[in-house]
Amino acid sequence: MSDHYKIVEVNSPKRKKEFIRLPVRLYKKERNWIRPLDQDIESIFDPGQNKSFRNGEALRWLLLDENDKAIGRVAAFYDKKTAHNNDQPTGGMGFFECIRDKEAAFMLFDQCKEWLRSKGMEAMDGPVNFGDRDRWWGLLVDGFDYEPNYRMPYNFHYYKEFFEDYGFRNFFNQYTYYREIKKEGLNPIIEEKAKRIHNNPKYHFEHLRRKNIDKYVEDFRDIYNLAWSRYAGVKKITKAHANALMKSLKPILDEKLMWFAYYDDDPIAFFLMVPDANQIIKYLNGKMHLFAKLKFLFYKKVKPPQKVLGLIFGVVPEHQGKGLEGGLIMSFGDIALNNKFPYKHLELNWIGDFNPAMMKVAEQIGAEIRKIHVTYRYLFDRTKPFKREKKVS
């Protein structure tokens, strides 16, 4: 333990506020950093809002200098349900921020390691979220010239050195793909498949319509549970979860960005997109009180986002490989290529390098890698062989 730094637990309103405020000070000169909503961060550490607390724990710490000024922060957590889906019980650490001081960073890493070890963990992944993988996951290592998407990390480039010098190793890369929306053309093979599907009367494509939103929520759930729940670490989505997800999207939802495919009226595929909320949130200074909500509505109308965030593709297994991704994109393109369409840019939510099939889909629809995040893993037993994330088939 350093003589001039000390670690304190975040266990009071004052320290909770400091946990939120520290990044604001650190990133004040970083033009591409966007302050997250305070409520989005605090909800993660609220047992009443985060279901991961049902089977786990989380603690937060601040690192203080000799003047009791916060210079670093971190959180550690574990979920018994997911900890054992690994070669060893594995917890997580995240929400790491620190001044450019390796000694300070290593103190925070040590704190996470020792606490997780005391809880029976034998490894830690980081920086990750205490919850779903679609948010606050990974360390940005390439793409610092671009603003982060909503609820995705943006960090200093020197954090990579901290993690790797401490002994964290690359568990998997996370790729954020980008394409201009009005760029025409798909990969010739997938375009040919898409045209074949569009000419088959058994298939049809449509975008969500608010008046029938309950139907689309059920269609989404049916497709998702068939397409994604077979992957390790991905749970089936309940009706309540699906409804909560759609409710959370309502403030930013644009029905022309949420596409579904059907075969003989059976839901078989979706491609869900939303305007990137960060393009408005960057004007709110982390707040979402009444005035901020009015401000959000104002900017949504007068300066709407030009970037769309592709949340997820899903195709039921029996229809995979037939070009439905291209079919969805082609249907979307019929609207998107209209001169009055307001959006210009599309970024896909991250795809892990353990999922070459989805990487191939992204490339076939004309997208290229724009940002790279890394999920690191640290084994407490330093003699144990390190294994990267298994590829999915």
Side-chain angles (χ1 to χ4, degrees):
M1 181 73 73
S2 168
D3 292 334
H4 52 285
Y5 295 153
K6 65 180 178 182
I7 290 180
V8 296
E9 186 180 332
V10 176
N11 56 8
S12 69
K14 181 180 179 182
R15 288 178 179 172
K16 287 180 182 179
K17 185 175 180 180
E18 190 57 28
F19 191 87
I20 294 291
R21 291 290 303 172
L22 175 62
V24 180
R25 294 202 308 271
L26 292 180
Y27 290 97
K28 63 183 179 182
K29 293 183 180 179
E30 293 292 317
R31 64 184 179 86
N32 288 321
W33 182 75
I34 293 175
R35 179 178 178 175
L37 292 175
D38 298 352
Q39 65 184 35
D40 283 348
I41 301 297
E42 280 304 310
S43 66
I44 294 158
F45 302 101
D46 180 355
Q49 298 186 65
N50 187 347
K51 64 182 184 297
S52 295
F53 278 99
R54 296 172 192 169
N55 299 290
E57 295 180 78
L59 277 187
R60 290 184 281 175
W61 298 275
L62 293 170
L63 183 66
L64 309 181
D65 65 12
E66 61 271 19
N67 298 313
D68 284 340
K69 179 182 178 182
I71 57 170
R73 75 173 199 185
V74 78
F77 31 80
Y78 68 92
D79 183 329
K80 292 175 186 174
K81 274 196 169 182
T82 58
H84 295 276
N85 295 337
N86 300 280
D87 292 333
Q88 64 287 305
T90 302
M93 58 79 62
F95 304 93
F96 169 84
E97 301 289 358
C98 193
I99 61 171
R100 193 165 191 168
D101 183 320
K102 191 177 292 186
E103 177 191 9
F106 282 15
M107 284 181 66
L108 291 165
F109 295 155
D110 284 342
Q111 186 71 26
C112 296
K113 177 178 67 176
E114 294 310 317
W115 183 77
L116 287 168
R117 195 199 302 270
S118 76
K119 299 298 179 178
M121 299 297 110
E122 297 175 12
M124 60 181 174
D125 291 346
V128 298
N129 181 35
F130 186 40
D132 296 332
R133 278 185 170 188
D134 64 346
R135 60 194 67 173
W136 315 122
W137 205 280
L139 187 79
L140 183 67
V141 298
D142 191 23
F144 297 96
D145 292 336
Y146 304 104
E147 293 177 338
N149 294 327
Y150 179 50
R151 292 194 294 206
M152 273 300 286
Y154 185 95
N155 52 261
F156 292 112
H157 63 87
Y158 61 80
Y159 286 6
K160 181 176 186 287
E161 180 183 345
F162 287 167
F163 276 80
E164 294 182 357
D165 285 357
Y166 186 77
F168 281 93
R169 295 185 63 182
N170 183 315
F171 188 45
F172 57 82
N173 288 323
Q174 306 164 220
Y175 299 125
T176 300
Y177 282 83
Y178 166 83
R179 66 162 283 166
E180 289 182 25
I181 285 179
K182 296 186 186 296
K183 182 176 77 172
E184 294 192 46
L186 300 167
N187 174 284
I189 295 174
I190 201 170
E191 185 169 6
E192 179 59 34
K193 287 182 178 179
K195 287 179 179 177
R196 198 180 309 142
I197 284 176
H198 272 269
N199 290 331
N200 185 336
K202 286 183 174 290
Y203 290 97
H204 78 273
F205 300 84
E206 62 186 63
H207 63 73
L208 179 147
R209 289 171 173 80
R210 285 179 183 267
K211 64 181 180 180
N212 296 325
I213 196 163
D214 291 342
K215 169 192 178 299
Y216 293 106
V217 170
E218 276 303 296
D219 291 348
F220 162 72
R221 192 165 74 92
D222 290 344
I223 298 164
Y224 180 91
N225 286 339
L226 287 170
W228 283 100
S229 62
R230 63 195 178 96
Y231 293 123
V234 180
K235 301 176 235 176
K236 284 194 173 185
I237 192 168
T238 64
K239 185 173 183 177
H241 188 179
N243 282 324
L245 175 63
M246 195 58 70
K247 183 178 178 181
S248 72
L249 295 177
K250 275 188 176 180
I252 200 78
L253 186 146
D254 184 331
E255 59 184 26
K256 292 184 175 63
L257 296 177
M258 310 195 90
W259 284 85
F260 291 81
Y262 298 85
Y263 183 81
D264 282 342
D265 294 327
D266 292 328
I268 58 169
F270 58 64
F271 180 34
L272 306 186
M273 300 168 280
V274 291
D276 179 24
N278 258 10
Q279 300 305 298
I280 300 175
I281 286 169
K282 63 184 178 182
Y283 301 112
L284 305 184
N285 196 31
K287 308 303 179 187
M288 195 46 93
H289 43 52
L290 178 59
F291 179 69
K293 289 178 180 178
L294 294 173
K295 201 172 179 182
F296 184 95
L297 293 172
F298 171 78
Y299 277 103
K300 183 181 175 185
K301 185 171 182 63
V302 303
K303 199 172 182 181
Q306 292 191 335
K307 183 170 72 173
V308 168
L309 179 59
L311 298 179
I312 188 170
F313 270 111
V315 181
V316 300
E318 64 187 279
H319 287 275
Q320 290 175 3
K322 297 181 179 180
L324 278 162
E325 298 90 351
L328 288 161
I329 289 291
M330 190 174 286
S331 298
F332 169 57
D334 291 341
I335 291 176
L337 294 176
N338 187 300
N339 288 334
K340 294 182 179 179
F341 194 70
Y343 308 105
K344 296 182 179 179
H345 312 285
L346 167 64
E347 287 193 12
L348 303 179
N349 200 10
W350 68 263
I351 300 170
D353 65 1
F354 54 83
N355 194 345
M358 282 306 301
M359 291 171 60
K360 185 177 180 181
V361 168
E363 291 159 6
Q364 287 177 329
I365 65 169
E368 299 176 344
I369 294 172
R370 168 172 270 193
K371 302 169 188 168
I372 303 175
H373 290 76
V374 174
T375 296
Y376 288 99
R377 174 164 287 182
Y378 181 92
L379 302 178
F380 298 164
D381 180 353
R382 306 306 292 157
T383 66
K384 186 173 182 177
F386 178 83
K387 299 177 184 176
R388 297 192 80 236
E389 176 71 295
K390 297 174 186 174
K391 290 192 185 301
V392 297
S393 55

